[in-house]
Amino acid sequence: MATSPRGSDFFAPMRFEAEVLDCEVEGRLPSALQGSFYRSCADRRFPALYPQDTPYNADGAVDLFRFYDGHVDFRSRYVRTQRFLAERKAHRALFGLYRNRSTSDPSVRDLSHNTANTTPIVHAGLLFSMKEESLPTRLDPHTLETLGEWDFDGALRSRSFTAHPKLDPFTGEMLAFAYEATGDCSDDLAVFEFDPQGQLSNEIWFKTPVVSMMHDMAITDRHVILPTTAMVTSRERLARGELHWAHDPGVAAHVAIVPRGGRASDVRWFHGRPDQAMLIHTLNAWSEGDKVILEAPVAGENFHPYFPRTDGSRSDPALYVPTLRRWTFDLAADGDTWNEEILFGGMKVTTFTRMDDRFLTRPQRYSFMLTSDPGLPINRDFADMLAVRVSNAWYRFDHHTGSIDKFSAGDAHGLSEPQFVPRSPDAAEGDGYLIGVVNDFRGLRSELVVVSAMDLAGGALARVKLPFRLHMQVHGWWVPRDVLPFEA
Ligand code: V55
Ligand code: FE
């Protein structure tokens, strides 16, 4: 992944599981930080069976930073997937290319290929680490012990489940979906609604016009929004022993708008262009009368350099330049397309945008982005890492004024996705902290930084130091202590 020797050291598997009581803290931890910060990470324990495999296929590991009364405890565990257990016995990789079972060792082809490496989510008191090709994996939210794959007490009929379910902050419901829902390359989509107790309350099954990677979704108080992409697959690809996905620059974006509580006959498809067909993560969405508004970073080029183009050529990651866009769908109009506005065009490399999740489904004022900014201090020895998906900046974008507030953790420091934590349950939007893990490539150490969310330029208020480096985070998740109580 990284080209610098120091970077390669950093991306080597962690191999140990850790527990650190009372982490060393530089600065002062705000007393408002009371809760659990989970991270789902990708850590390839054994060299891949095939050199062209993607980091998305690395083993899942989950980390937990527990904040209480000015202290932090840390814990890290590999997820005991079927893959982990089988490869642990063999002391080598047995599972083949990303989402292509036919490339796995015959001894494991029938086992679950779940890596549980993408998003940690807590709903109805249960902690999951999610992977979009598989079912959620349940973990003990305190010990991180693996409890196994979870089919919601037998209610879930799909073979897969998104890694990006959405929690409605106003109702406590969880909304989710599955694509390739009945197996590899199937055109079946399913939208799932779960009540605040985690019981499946509605499911809507329908077909997609293009079988494609659908990594994220969005919700409003009335709708679920599902965008397709130009990352496509086919049975022929899989039979040829290739990676699951390839980018087809000719494939256009399609968006399904599904009424919450609705049925398959209520689903509306809207059709866009190829330069709208690389949407990895959403920011937010809301409904306004007959209009549904979605905001997300979008590009027309491949975000995933590990996946080739359908013609076999290599994708050029430099071409991937997303802009933050607003898409407006008019449910009352006759057309089947949408209106697009560009909100912000200065993003480099990343697609990670987050916000104050208490305002999800309502128009937000602030968004927080993980990005690469060559204008911030960067040591020449580490500059090449910016080109390989290492991000050195958090931005706060003010949607009212268009202004940007920036945070840099240091000149040899890579940032993970920022997590917003409100100062109090009823604080104003954005009044709180950004927390997240920083990798210090020079010192081969990781730390967690706490920054005032309304003053990123003011720098870190506190740095939680670990005596080792961590694995690469995919996504993180914050759960307040009153929502998930724990004993310190
Ligand atoms: C992504 C990440 C994945 C995956 C599919 O775009 C898409 C991000 C960490 O795994 O399997
Ligand atoms: Fe994601």
Side-chain angles (χ1 to χ4, degrees), residues 118-119 132 163-164 215-216 280-281 351-352 417 474-475:
T118 309
T119 315
E132 66 193 55
H164 284 290
H215 182 65
D216 202 354
I280 315 300
H281 294 119
T351 76
F352 291 76
E417 177 188 62
V474 183
H475 292 289

Side-chain angles (χ1 to χ4, degrees), residues 205-274:
W205 288 77
F206 55 107
K207 299 279 187 184
T208 177
V210 48
V211 179
S212 71
M213 182 193 282
M214 297 171 70
H215 182 65
D216 202 354
M217 62 185 292
I219 60 167
T220 77
D221 60 346
R222 282 182 276 143
H223 299 98
V224 172
I225 305 165
L226 297 184
T228 70
T229 68
M231 299 303 300
V232 295
T233 187
S234 66
R235 293 187 198 287
E236 293 70 34
R237 281 194 70 72
L238 299 189
R240 285 196 301 267
E242 295 179 327
L243 290 160
H244 195 87
W245 301 117
H247 177 231
D248 185 339
V251 166
H254 308 270
V255 177
I257 308 247
V258 183
R260 287 170 64 170
R263 298 181 303 164
S265 53
D266 302 323
V267 175
R268 285 273 304 268
W269 278 102
F270 291 80
H271 306 286
R273 308 182 305 259

Side-chain angles (χ1 to χ4, degrees), residues 385-403:
M385 297 181 74
L386 286 185
V388 285
R389 297 293 156 98
V390 171
S391 299
N392 68 338
W394 286 343
Y395 281 5
R396 177 172 55 88
F397 179 61
D398 183 332
H399 290 245
H400 290 186
T401 66
S403 67

